[in-house]
Structure formats: structure tokens, C-alpha cells
Amino acid sequence: MEPLKLKISEIQEKIRKGELTYSDLIETFLKRIEENKDLNCFISVFKEKARKKASLCDKEFKEKKEIKSLLFGIPIAVKDNIAYENERLTCASKILENFISPYSATAVKRLEEKGAIIIGKTNLDEFAMGSSNEFSYFGPVLNPINKEYVPGGSSGGSAAAVGGNLVPVALGSDTGGSVRQPAAFCGVCGLKPTYGRVSRFGLVAFASSLDVIGVIASYVEDCALVLQAISGYDENDATSVNYPVPDYLPLKNNLKAVRVGISKDFFLKEMDERLIKIYEDFFKELSKIGVKLYEISLPTIKYGIYAYHLIATCEASSNLARYDGLRYGLNLDAKDIDEIYLKTRSEGFGKEVKRRIVLGTYGLSKGYYEEYYAKGLEVKRMLFEDFQKAFEEVDIILAPVSPTLPFKLGERLTDPIMMYLSDIFTVPASLVGLPALTLPLKEKIDNFPISIQIIGRHFCEKEILDFAYGIEEL
Amino acid sequence: MELKNYKVIIGLEIHCQLKTETKLFCSCANSFAAFPNTNVCPICLGYPGTLPVLNKKAVFLALKLALALNCEIAKESYFARKHYFYPDLPKGYQITQYKNPLAYDGYLLINNKKIRIRRVHLEEDSGKLIHTANETLIDFNRAGIPLVEIVTEPDFENPLEVCDFIEKLKQILIYLDISDADMEKGNLRCEPNISLEYNGKAFERREIKNLNSIKNVKEALEYEINYQKSLLKEGKEIERATLLWNEKEKKTEVMRSKEEEEDYRYFLEPDLPPLVISEKEIEEARKELKELPEERKRRLLKEYPLKEEICEIIVSDKKLCDYYENLMKLVKDKKLATNWLINEVLRILNEKNITIEEFPLEIEKLAYFLNLLSEKRLPMGNIKKIFYELVEKKIEISDLLKLTIKEKEEDLEKVIEEVLIKEKEVVEKYKKGKKGVIGYLIGEVVKRYNGKIDPREVKEKLIEILEKN
Amino acid sequence: MEEVIKKVIALAKLKFDKEGLENFVKECEKIVEYFQKIKALKANERKEALYFLYQFKCPLREDKVEIFKNDFLRNSPRYKEGYFRIKKML
């Protein structure tokens, strides 16, 4: 099988056997990236750097005859809102178009320590704000399954790159579904870890209390592999949690060992009927093979999307206050300092980002704070308690990923409300900090695989990875 | 017509830079930097993707201060973001504490009057702007330096109380090694707010910024009181305002009026979990509250021969006070040493415009000198000259020894003469050839010195004198 | 509403042209009403705001100097000869 479709462990097998070199591997993927430029997945590609590193990997393997880590020599794409030292960090925004980051994110450093090769930075919705990757200063990303459709967002570039086999794995970021939804739209695995499991240091902040770095891969095992490398306490991130990281590998099918919860609250009447049918069939299949299914109640789910937007826009407006062009970024001339602020921010930010900044500023202002931000946090607590109660009865919760199928480019642009609603099933796990993985099922509609969302308890990534692995094997 | 029935109400807001090695949220140096923008990193410059991490020492120092100010300590306090756009504020917000400060409800006694402290909290400092002819330059070395903010209740009734408070606070800050508390250097910033109450009606308060000395604080407050009084006399309204003190023209000027009040959009800092202070940490901080100036003064008055005014002088300068106590351990006549320190040493410090740390004569040598002096073993007529020469390093301690040796010689001769006269019979025996008795004579001389003399010296001199006669 | 939005836009240091402002106000009105749906929550169901999920204690950093070694200021457009420079402020 050509290296483009192999699991990482299979790639390393070929290397060990001498059937493949790391330089071959990099060339294969670089060629694939070049041939699929029209997908617009990448903002930066590090051709020379990657080639040099690959040849060093080959040299080391020749000398030492052993592969120090499964990630050694493996190309990884990183979403362009995650810092990589001395390379551009654009966040798909004009305001950071030529900004070069002076340091690397902790997650990226940890991958490099394992020998992984950062092959490029992927396209995204500007500052991770969006669900379709149509809000990028560098143009939209196309869905590799059907180029007239969106790949989802905001990690559209990373998801399309993995979906189109331009890279085996990619890092994304998930604030309200930005790893899970595009992974689903592109037919690949998307993992959002527990909040605090992976360091946020080097992830450009959107909503600080919700942001996490996530993993997108073609195989569950590869997701687990990358998660293992990047997880763990980081003293540079005061919100990263000092719990020990378990061994995520080897994966073990736990379908029959766990109690699975399904909630009616996760299914809206507005959903595409075909989707509902596919999920119902899937649950029947699980039941048939002996998986224990229970019905649970999560009454606050329907308020989740409102709470999410209240919280996220307020925190975003604050996190984006630092972009003024004075210390770095877009440099515009104006008659006085006030004009510099206005001009830089008005010209540097796209429409969607500006909309959210204004809503967030409104939400935090005097007189509105209690109604807006604080209220969002009350719903967060209610949702937290809902899930706590549910997890007393079950170990895993299954849910859909998106209420609709992937939509065509330009279809949702004129209706921001519809765009917001597309996150309705992914935001609950974000608000409560739970780990969640989306996995494509065998069923397809219009060629798009339909994905299931697997939600677990805090810091129980192993459980959901094992469960996903079980489904993958079906 | 003089304004009667009016009351002056003053409150104080103080910002004080903490003496830590690093900034509040990153590991950049908190020290004087020769060049601008050298104590900086992506975190304190607000680069994309960076996060704050809280400095342990800053918390400890703030805790010490809060305890010294008799405050309640919040077991859990939170950080908040305060938003505004200004070129010296890298993130577009300042990380501070808002609704849940580290400490609250404290007090400080000024001449037996209690000034209540509303709150004490931690926050980060901003960068510095320098205005040249055509440009404004920004230096971020100061951005992120730890500050502690102290807010008092409006308990002051006149400018003198405010000045006394600042003096006392300075002493505490320096004594406890919390801050250098130098107003001129900008590591202690005081912003008083003042309003009048007239015929029972309270009027708007105005606050004054950029006061860089206690003298300025006093003058600015006195000016503002008179200004507000004159407005009231004319029946005019007093508008809320933020003022700057114009030192040249000795008057306050409006910087910001009420309408332009900012909306800071405070909300809880999501990047920093709650600051938890344990009982253990409070105890450890309390242990370091070694004597504050008040207590030290009381103890010194008890232990040493000091008059109250002299004691004040000594206590007000911590380094001098430490020096004084160390000196007292080394000298025999404490009263003499005290007077000498106050009269001669301090005079030299003033003349040369140096601090006690820069005083050229080492403390051990000073003690030795004072001991010789107390034993009257120095020529009294010349004593000040000898001291100055000692300080100027024109003579050395060994030279003093030579002086005293000379004296000692003459002194020894006298004592020997006295012994010889007393022990006539023993001397006779010696002269008749019984040289052995010299031991007895040496013993008698040594006895006169309470053993504090070298017997070989005595023997030498004895023999010299005996042979002479 | 328009007045409030105008003030908020200024607070956020953004500017819009007239048409942009009108469109924006319309969208904001829709979205703000939409978010008001949260008011539908019954009063006795309201709980205390949840800030931190399980990060209960702020970790503290040792007070030790670490010099950031990357000469990164040379990439800053407004940095020249030691200072960040902007037009003279009044």
C-alpha cells in the first residue's frame, strides 16, 4: 500500500524493513501537497527544512539501527494558530500575515523532541472563529471529498490535509468543535482532549477557558500516538493539569466493557432526517453485538450554544485586544495613535472576527456583563452538573457531530445564525471540558461519511480511544 | 469670609514595586537595565499564544505587607483583566485583582489614629513612554513588574496625616525588604483623592497623580484644599476630576474629567486559577515580620542608653539602626559609643554626603577605637583629630596601638615604681643577688593590671628599672 | 441600540463605514435577541457562575531570572535602535 494511506506504525515497519526511507516519505507527502494546492490546505510549507530533517532521520536510523519513537521522521501539519519557532504564525489573518513567532508551542516542541517533522502550517478560519474555513485571509479551504463543499472549521486546513492524505496527522485547535466538526466533514478522526490535558502555551488564544489543542488523523491509533506525545503538565500554562498521563497504547476494544449513554437532547427535530436514520441504525447495530446502551438526560444541552457564544465572544474580544500593530504584526501609518489602533484593527481583522469582537465587547461592558458573560457561565455550571449526573450511570456518551451534512461553499455565508447553529452538538463537551472524539462510520450520504461523536469523562481519553478503536474494527 | 463648618476628607491609593528578581508573570529580570527593551520576552510583550505564570516571591512579599498592615487575608483570591488601549499596555489589558483581592480590612496607626486599609492586591506594571520632539518611544522593561496596590479608606483629615502615613509605610516596606519605596525613582507612587464636606453636604472628590515626593504630596493637597474651599465660597460646583500636579507653577491641573470615565470591562482572568493562601504560608510570612520600626524603637529605648529623639533618628534609617545594634555588641561603654555615633559619625556622613554603608572605617575598628577611648587610653586633647585621621585612613589601628603603647610604657613605669616602693624588702633581696624574687614582683605588677598585661613586658621593664637604680 | 453599538465599536478600537455599520447593527440586533433566549431559563434553575472546572490552585513560579535568548525584536516593524517608535503623542 502506498505510504499515503498507511498507519504510522505501518510506515515505521516499512522503514525498519528497508522498504522505505524517511526522505522518500517526505518527498511523497510533499508531492501530494504540491499536487493538491487547489485545496488550499497550507499557508506555509517547509519544503527544505522538512527534507533536511528527513535526511538526518535517515542518517540516524542507519547509524543506530533503531527507531527511537514511533513519531520519528513522521510528517505532521500544524494549524497556523499554533506557534512554531522562527516561522510565520498568521492565524489566517491579515493582521499577522508576516508575523514570525519567536518561540514554539509546547505541544510542537514535544513532537519535535520525538523526532516528528513539522511539514507545514495549515489554513484555518481567521483566529479560529468559524465553522467552514471560509473566513480565512488566505482564501477558503476545499473539502477533498468534494471540492464544491466546505471542509468544516475552524481547523479546515488540518482536516482537509489529513482527509486528502496530504499528511498522516495534523494538530488542530478546538474551542467549540473546531477539530471534531471539520474532521467529520472530511471523513477522518478528530480528537479533542480534556481541557488542561495538553498545554495551551503557544496556542493563540481565542476563548481561554475553552481552547484546547486537538489531533486529526486517519486512524484512531495515530490519534492516540500524537496525543501521548503532546499530553502532560506544562509549567508555562497555569491551566494545564498535573495529572499523570496514562499509556494510551496499545488500544483495546472496550465496546462490551462500557456502559453507553444516548440522550434525546442531542437530537434536534431540525436535523437532516437521513442523519437521524443512520445514527438510529448504528445504535441498533451496537445493541445487536452486545453493547450496553442506556438512555440519559442532559436537559441543559439546548442552551449550550447560547452559553458558548456568550462566553467565547467575550473572551475573544479580550484576547484580541493585544493586536494593535505596535509591537508586531501589520504596520500601518496614521496621523495619531488612536488612528493607528482603528486603522490597524479595522483593516487587519476580517468581518467575522470583528463581529465577534464587537459582540464580546458589548457583553463585557458595564451594565451588560451580568446579563451576558456571567449568564453564560451559569449555564456552563448547569451543563457541568448535567454531565456529572449522566456519568454516574454511563461511561461513554454517543452523540452526533453536526445537525447537517457538509454544505456548499458560500451557502451559509449570508446567514450567520445557521453558521452558529452548526456547533450545537460539539459545544457541550467544550463548555464542560470533556474529551471527545469524532469517528467516521461506514455509512455515507452523497459520498460524505457520517461521523459519531464519542464523549468521555474528564481525563478519560483512553476510554474513548479504546471505544473508537472498537468501532473502527467493526 | 473664612469657610467654617467644613471637613477635609482624603483617601490614598498607593502603588509600590516589589523587590523580586523577576517580573510578576514571566521570568524577565526585575532590575535596572542599562538599555531599553532588554528585560523583555514574548510573554511580557503580549505576543500571540503566550500565557502568564505567577511569581511565588511576589505573592510572599504582598502577603508580608498585608500582614504588616493588619489585614485579613483572603484564602482564595482571583485575578482579573482590566481593559483599555494604550501603547504602554502590551496585552490591551492589565492583569490585576478586582472583586477578590489578596487582602482587605487592615489598618495602620498614625499617632494613635487608625487609618483603615480597604484592600491590598497584586497587579502588573505597564511599560514606559518617552516623548521626544517628533516621536513617542516605548520601553517595555517595566511592563510586567510586580506591583502591590494599597487603597485606604478616606480617613485622613489633613495633609500632614497623609505624609506621616506615607513615611510610616515607607519604613515598613524598607524594613521588611518588600520594596525600595523610593518615590523619586517611581517605585512608590501615591495618589491621594480629596473632597470637602461643607455644612453636612459631601462634594465630589478629585484625585491627584504624578506626585513624586512627600513634599509634593503635602503641597498639592494644601493647594487643592484651598482651591476647593474657594469654589465653595463662591457657591460653585466641584466637579469630579483627575488632576496632575504642576510642580513648577505649584498648582493642580485637570487631566481627565468625569465624562471620560473608562469602561474597563473587568472579568475574571481565565488563564490563572485562584490564588490559594494556606495557613502555613501565612505563618511563614508572619515569622518574617521581624520588628517593624515602632517595635524596634520601643525595644531600643529599653535596651540602650538612648534619648527618644536620638532613637527616632536611628530607627528611621534601617541600615543605620542595624549598624548601631551591631556596634553596641562590640563596645564596652554603650553611652559613650552612642554619643560618639550620633555626634561624630553622623556628622562625617552628612559632610561627605554618604550613607552608613559607605562609611570608610570598618565597624570593628570603630569599636576598638571606642573601647580604647572608654578606657582613657588615648590622649584626650587630640582625640577628634586622631579619629578623623583614622577615618581618612591616614593612620591605622596599629598606629593607635603605638600611641597606647607609649602611654602604657609611661603608665607601666608608674605602676612599677609604686610596687617597688611597696615591696621595698623584696627589692632589697633582689639587689642582694636573689634574682629569683623577680617573679613575685612581676606577679604584683600584673595583679595591678588585673592580669591584662604581658608578664614578659613587665619583666623587661622591671629589670630595666631595677638595674638603673 | 445603534448608539450602544457605536460606543462598543469605539471601545473595541474598530471602525466601520456607514453601510457596514448599518448591516452590522442589524446583525447584532438579531444575534443579541437570539441570545436573550437564555433568559427562558427558570429563575430557580439558575446557578452560580462556573469559572474554573477543576483548576483549583494557581501554580507558583520560582523567582529566578531566565533570559529569553531569541533576538526577536528585529522582526518588529516599529522597533528601531532600542525602542518601539510611534508618532508623537500629545
Side-chain angles (χ1 to χ4, degrees):
Chain A
M1 222 194 348
E2 42 160 338
L4 294 177
K5 298 228 162 75
L6 292 174
K7 274 190 202 177
I8 290 175
S9 55
E10 289 168 347
I11 291 175
Q12 299 292 18
E13 253 315 292
K14 286 207 180 255
I15 300 271
R16 232 176 256 125
K17 286 197 194 143
E19 291 168 20
L20 190 65
T21 66
Y22 291 115
S23 300
D24 291 337
L25 190 68
I26 282 293
E27 280 314 317
T28 307
F29 282 109
L30 283 174
K31 184 155 163 261
R32 179 92 188 145
I33 290 171
E34 185 64 38
E35 285 167 357
N36 288 280
K37 262 200 172 132
D38 57 334
L39 290 178
N40 201 17
C41 295
F42 283 88
I43 292 176
S44 308
V45 182
F46 308 128
K47 282 195 220 133
E48 287 321 308
K49 222 177 187 172
R51 285 183 176 127
K52 270 207 198 96
K53 288 216 172 125
S55 90
L56 283 174
C57 286
D58 279 326
K59 198 158 156 248
E60 191 177 318
F61 175 62
K62 204 156 160 221
E63 284 167 20
K64 300 215 175 125
K65 296 277 188 261
E66 59 155 0
I67 299 170
K68 68 175 186 190
S69 145
L70 275 174
L71 287 174
F72 188 71
I74 301 297
I76 297 191
V78 172
K79 187 175 179 181
D80 208 11
N81 65 348
I82 298 172
Y84 184 37
E85 188 174 342
N86 294 331
E87 297 292 350
R88 278 183 353 163
L89 175 63
T90 69
C91 299
S93 176
K94 183 175 175 184
I95 216 170
L96 290 179
E97 186 180 3
N98 295 307
F99 170 69
I100 294 176
S101 178
Y103 71 101
S104 277
T106 301
V108 169
K109 269 216 220 124
R110 288 179 180 176
L111 286 173
E112 287 204 306
E113 276 163 20
K114 295 280 185 210
I117 298 176
I118 311 299
I119 201 171
K121 304 299 280 309
T122 55
N123 204 346
L124 59 150
D125 278 303
E126 190 181 352
F127 283 105
M129 298 180 193
S131 311
S132 65
N133 218 137
E134 294 173 286
F135 297 128
S136 162
Y137 178 64
F138 299 103
V141 172
L142 310 180
N143 192 320
I145 296 173
N146 183 333
K147 294 183 189 173
E148 287 175 35
Y149 287 75
V150 299
S154 58
S155 310
S158 285
V162 173
N165 296 119
L166 277 62
V167 279
V169 283
L171 289 186
S173 74
D174 193 306
T175 303
S178 293
V179 154
R180 292 163 284 161
Q181 186 249 40
F185 276 20
C186 294
V188 289
C189 274
L191 170 66
K192 170 197 138 5
T194 311
Y195 180 80
R197 175 80 287 180
V198 178
S199 168
R200 283 189 298 124
F201 187 71
L203 169 63
V204 176
F206 159 13
S208 314
S209 68
L210 306 171
D211 292 339
V212 296
I213 290 180
V215 186
I216 299 176
S218 299
Y219 299 97
V220 178
E221 186 182 289
D222 293 349
C223 258
L225 192 57
V226 175
L227 180 68
Q228 190 82 62
I230 63 177
S231 295
Y233 178 66
D234 180 16
E235 58 184 20
N236 292 312
D237 175 359
T239 58
S240 79
V241 168
N242 203 351
Y243 293 167
V245 182
D247 289 327
Y248 297 123
L249 296 165
L251 294 174
K252 197 174 130 195
N253 180 336
N254 68 352
L255 291 182
K256 307 239 180 86
V258 295
R259 300 165 297 171
V260 177
I262 298 171
S263 167
K264 284 213 173 71
D265 304 296
F266 260 126
F267 288 84
L268 304 177
K269 52 178 165 51
E270 295 93 344
M271 268 175 86
D272 190 319
E273 281 175 356
R274 298 172 290 174
L275 281 176
I276 300 184
K277 175 115 195 338
I278 287 184
Y279 289 125
E280 282 176 352
D281 286 345
F282 175 64
F283 297 144
K284 280 200 197 107
E285 191 190 338
L286 287 180
S287 202
K288 234 191 251 161
I289 63 168
V291 177
K292 299 181 276 243
L293 297 173
Y294 300 87
E295 195 168 318
I296 55 169
S297 173
L298 296 164
T300 319
I301 290 273
K302 55 183 175 290
Y303 295 103
I305 190 71
Y306 309 126
Y308 167 76
H309 281 292
L310 292 175
I311 295 169
T313 51
C314 289
E315 293 185 10
S317 71
S318 171
N319 285 321
L320 267 58
R322 63 187 64 195
Y323 302 107
D324 51 22
L326 296 184
R327 296 165 312 289
Y328 51 82
L330 186 63
N331 180 17
L332 294 177
D333 219 354
K335 66 173 164 63
D336 57 36
I337 183 67
D338 213 46
E339 268 304 304
I340 293 180
Y341 280 122
L342 291 171
K343 207 167 166 199
T344 308
R345 291 167 65 82
S346 302
E347 286 181 36
F349 289 134
K351 199 161 158 224
E352 180 62 19
V353 168
K354 281 195 278 200
R355 187 202 337 265
R356 296 193 193 206
I357 291 176
V358 173
L359 282 179
T361 307
Y362 171 82
L364 290 175
S365 1
K366 263 203 288 229
Y368 302 103
Y369 173 92
E370 290 304 321
E371 264 199 43
Y372 222 67
Y373 187 63
K375 194 159 260 136
L377 294 175
E378 288 169 19
V379 174
K380 184 172 163 174
R381 183 180 293 278
M382 290 169 69
L383 207 50
F384 187 81
E385 289 173 2
D386 273 7
F387 275 101
Q388 259 183 337
K389 209 153 137 250
F391 278 122
E392 281 168 16
E393 291 160 34
V394 298
D395 310 304
I396 298 264
I397 295 174
L398 293 179
V401 187
S402 167
T404 66
L405 287 166
F407 43 91
K408 279 200 182 157
L409 283 153
E411 198 179 291
R412 293 274 174 93
L413 284 179
T414 49
D415 192 344
I417 305 281
M418 275 312 285
M419 193 72 90
Y420 287 147
L421 276 183
S422 59
D423 299 327
I424 202 160
F425 298 136
T426 47
V427 299
S430 302
L431 284 168
V432 180
L434 298 168
L437 192 157
T438 56
L439 180 72
L441 301 172
K442 306 242 168 18
E443 309 306 320
K444 293 189 188 179
I445 298 175
D446 299 338
N447 227 20
F448 290 109
I450 304 307
S451 293
I452 187 76
Q453 186 180 185
I454 305 164
I455 305 171
R457 293 189 183 90
H458 294 115
F459 301 101
C460 290
E461 282 83 358
K462 178 90 175 97
E463 271 72 20
I464 61 177
L465 284 164
D466 284 343
F467 195 83
Y469 179 66
I471 296 179
E472 208 181 30
E473 301 240 285
L474 283 176
Chain B
M1 196 249 306
E2 248 311 303
L3 199 71
K4 295 197 184 129
N5 298 328
Y6 77 92
K7 218 169 85 169
V8 174
I9 301 169
I10 307 175
L12 200 52
E13 188 178 295
I14 298 161
H15 289 95
C16 165
Q17 285 182 339
L18 296 176
K19 247 174 115 163
T20 55
E21 296 292 321
T22 61
K23 294 186 176 183
L24 188 56
F25 297 117
C26 66
S27 301
C28 288
N30 172 9
S31 68
F32 171 73
F35 296 103
N37 291 303
T38 47
N39 288 342
V40 294
C41 74
I43 299 171
C44 53
L45 286 179
Y47 269 55
T50 54
L51 296 169
V53 185
L54 186 56
N55 181 336
K56 198 183 207 176
K57 182 102 190 275
V59 174
F60 189 68
L61 293 180
L63 187 57
K64 261 206 305 196
L65 179 62
L67 290 171
L69 295 176
N70 305 296
C71 292
E72 291 296 317
I73 307 293
K75 291 293 175 352
E76 236 181 54
S77 64
Y78 292 81
F79 287 93
R81 294 186 184 179
K82 176 181 180 180
H83 302 83
Y84 60 94
F85 285 95
Y86 206 65
D88 65 5
L89 194 66
K91 297 186 287 292
Y93 59 84
Q94 177 201 35
I95 302 180
T96 174
Q97 294 191 292
Y98 184 51
K99 289 203 174 144
N100 313 86
L102 173 66
Y104 53 94
D105 286 357
Y107 66 87
L108 196 60
L109 288 171
I110 303 297
N111 304 325
N112 289 324
K113 175 175 172 177
K114 213 185 215 184
I115 301 288
R116 294 167 299 162
I117 309 269
R118 184 180 297 171
R119 52 186 284 150
V120 173
H121 74 247
L122 277 166
E123 61 183 34
E124 53 176 351
D125 209 344
S126 61
K128 238 193 255 185
L129 296 181
I130 301 162
H131 305 283
T132 65
N134 330 316
E135 288 179 312
T136 290
L137 311 173
I138 318 173
D139 175 12
F140 292 103
N141 282 342
R142 200 184 68 177
I145 300 259
L147 292 177
V148 71
E149 179 177 315
I150 304 158
V151 180
T152 73
E153 296 292 353
D155 290 345
F156 298 102
E157 292 173 300
N158 62 63
L160 279 174
E161 282 179 356
V162 176
C163 296
D164 283 345
F165 180 93
I166 298 175
E167 272 297 351
K168 195 158 183 194
L169 180 66
K170 267 183 76 161
Q171 273 183 17
I172 292 174
L173 290 166
I174 295 173
Y175 257 73
L176 295 181
D177 222 13
I178 293 173
S179 168
D180 288 331
D182 188 334
M183 282 182 81
E184 265 148 52
K185 289 215 178 95
N187 46 43
L188 184 68
R189 295 167 224 160
C190 300
E191 286 166 17
N193 55 74
I194 174 166
S195 65
L196 297 184
E197 212 181 81
Y198 177 52
N199 282 338
K201 178 170 174 221
F203 289 88
E204 279 295 347
R205 67 166 200 260
R206 289 147 65 93
E207 69 178 18
I208 314 172
K209 287 186 184 286
N210 86 319
L211 298 165
N212 58 9
S213 70
I214 295 183
K215 179 160 158 283
N216 280 351
V217 170
K218 180 162 169 290
E219 287 177 354
L221 284 171
E222 284 170 349
Y223 174 88
E224 187 59 21
I225 291 173
N226 286 327
Y227 178 74
Q228 290 190 16
K229 271 163 72 177
S230 69
L231 284 182
L232 289 183
K233 265 196 276 191
E234 293 168 31
K236 290 204 186 128
E237 268 305 308
I238 298 179
E239 271 180 7
R240 179 93 166 255
T242 304
L243 310 164
L244 292 175
W245 173 244
N246 185 328
E247 204 178 342
K248 275 209 199 101
E249 298 180 34
K250 303 278 184 207
K251 60 185 189 123
T252 57
E253 291 166 343
V254 176
M255 179 179 131
R256 250 204 319 268
S257 62
K258 182 177 161 185
E259 283 75 57
E260 294 155 45
E261 223 173 80
E262 294 241 26
D263 178 0
Y264 294 117
R265 286 160 280 136
Y266 287 100
F267 76 102
L268 224 71
E269 171 57 80
D271 291 334
L272 294 169
L275 175 57
V276 172
I277 307 281
S278 64
E279 276 304 328
K280 187 162 168 258
E281 284 163 317
I282 294 178
E283 276 320 301
E284 280 180 25
R286 221 187 273 283
K287 269 192 226 152
E288 290 222 1
L289 292 189
K290 30 186 176 165
E291 269 179 337
L292 292 170
E294 272 305 310
E295 275 172 59
R296 198 165 194 186
K297 186 171 140 193
R298 260 178 270 144
R299 180 176 60 82
L300 286 177
L301 285 173
K302 249 200 292 191
E303 287 178 18
Y304 302 113
L306 286 165
K307 285 205 215 105
E308 177 128 12
E309 312 89 62
I310 310 281
C311 192
E312 279 281 354
I313 295 173
I314 292 179
V315 170
S316 70
D317 179 345
K318 180 170 190 271
K319 295 272 152 78
L320 179 62
C321 200
D322 290 340
Y323 189 92
Y324 176 74
E325 290 212 70
N326 288 334
L327 186 65
M328 289 299 109
K329 289 194 194 113
L330 299 170
V331 299
K332 292 183 191 135
D333 186 338
K334 297 193 171 41
K335 191 146 193 266
L336 175 81
T338 302
N339 289 335
W340 195 267
L341 184 77
I342 299 298
N343 296 326
E344 301 307 322
V345 176
L346 283 193
R347 168 146 38 120
I348 293 178
L349 294 183
N350 279 332
E351 271 171 17
K352 289 177 181 283
N353 198 18
I354 55 177
T355 64
I356 191 68
E357 291 170 290
E358 295 159 331
F359 185 60
L361 188 61
E362 296 85 333
I363 195 171
E364 298 82 20
K365 294 189 183 169
L366 175 61
Y368 190 91
F369 169 84
L370 290 169
N371 285 336
L372 289 178
L373 186 62
S374 66
E375 288 168 16
K376 296 202 198 305
R377 303 219 294 207
L378 295 169
M380 293 312 289
N382 253 348
I383 204 60
K384 286 202 185 154
K385 177 159 167 279
I386 292 174
F387 184 64
Y388 285 133
E389 285 182 358
L390 199 61
V391 172
E392 298 290 330
K393 306 269 180 198
K394 289 200 184 127
I395 59 174
E396 266 300 332
I397 284 289
S398 47
D399 299 324
L400 279 186
L401 289 171
K402 286 204 198 98
L403 289 171
T404 59
I405 284 171
K406 185 150 176 264
E407 290 248 307
K408 243 205 279 184
E409 260 191 21
E410 293 169 355
D411 197 67
L412 180 58
E413 282 173 5
K414 256 200 12 222
V415 171
I416 290 177
E417 300 276 301
E418 285 171 27
V419 168
L420 292 181
I421 291 170
K422 190 161 171 257
E423 306 289 338
K424 260 204 201 115
E425 288 155 25
V426 182
V427 174
E428 280 302 314
K429 284 195 188 149
Y430 181 86
K431 293 229 170 119
K432 285 207 173 116
K434 236 185 170 184
K435 303 285 175 184
V437 301
I438 195 136
Y440 173 76
L441 290 171
I442 293 171
E444 286 303 299
V445 174
V446 171
K447 248 195 247 170
R448 295 290 202 91
Y449 278 91
N450 282 336
K452 291 209 173 96
I453 188 164
D454 189 345
R456 288 172 294 187
E457 240 185 280
V458 177
K459 185 176 180 186
E460 225 181 275
K461 203 64 183 189
L462 251 184
I463 293 177
E464 197 189 300
I465 293 175
L466 285 170
E467 298 302 313
K468 235 196 309 182
N469 296 346
Chain C
M1 182 65 172
E2 183 169 318
E3 281 314 307
V4 171
I5 295 290
K6 269 199 191 152
K7 267 211 193 108
V8 167
I9 289 174
L11 251 185
K13 290 285 189 237
L14 295 170
K15 60 179 176 179
F16 290 80
D17 57 31
K18 189 147 187 243
E19 193 197 327
L21 178 64
E22 280 166 13
N23 287 335
F24 191 77
V25 172
K26 255 189 249 147
E27 276 174 17
C28 276
E29 276 171 350
K30 256 200 287 181
I31 291 171
V32 169
E33 274 169 41
Y34 179 70
F35 291 155
Q36 302 271 359
K37 285 197 184 190
I38 221 164
K39 279 186 152 174
L41 281 170
K42 299 192 203 75
N44 62 358
E45 281 178 43
R46 290 264 304 274
K47 306 253 174 156
E48 217 184 285
L50 179 62
Y51 288 98
F52 296 98
L53 299 165
Y54 29 74
Q55 287 88 352
F56 299 126
K57 189 170 169 196
C58 192
L60 299 173
R61 165 181 58 86
E62 288 302 321
D63 189 28
K64 214 175 112 196
V65 176
E66 269 172 41
I67 300 176
F68 186 78
K69 283 208 176 90
N70 187 324
D71 175 25
F72 62 110
L73 292 180
R74 59 185 157 75
N75 288 327
S76 293
R78 292 188 198 271
Y79 176 80
K80 194 175 123 191
E81 286 165 28
Y83 289 98
F84 290 89
R85 294 161 192 268
I86 53 178
K87 272 212 178 83
K88 170 97 185 258
M89 288 174 71
L90 300 158

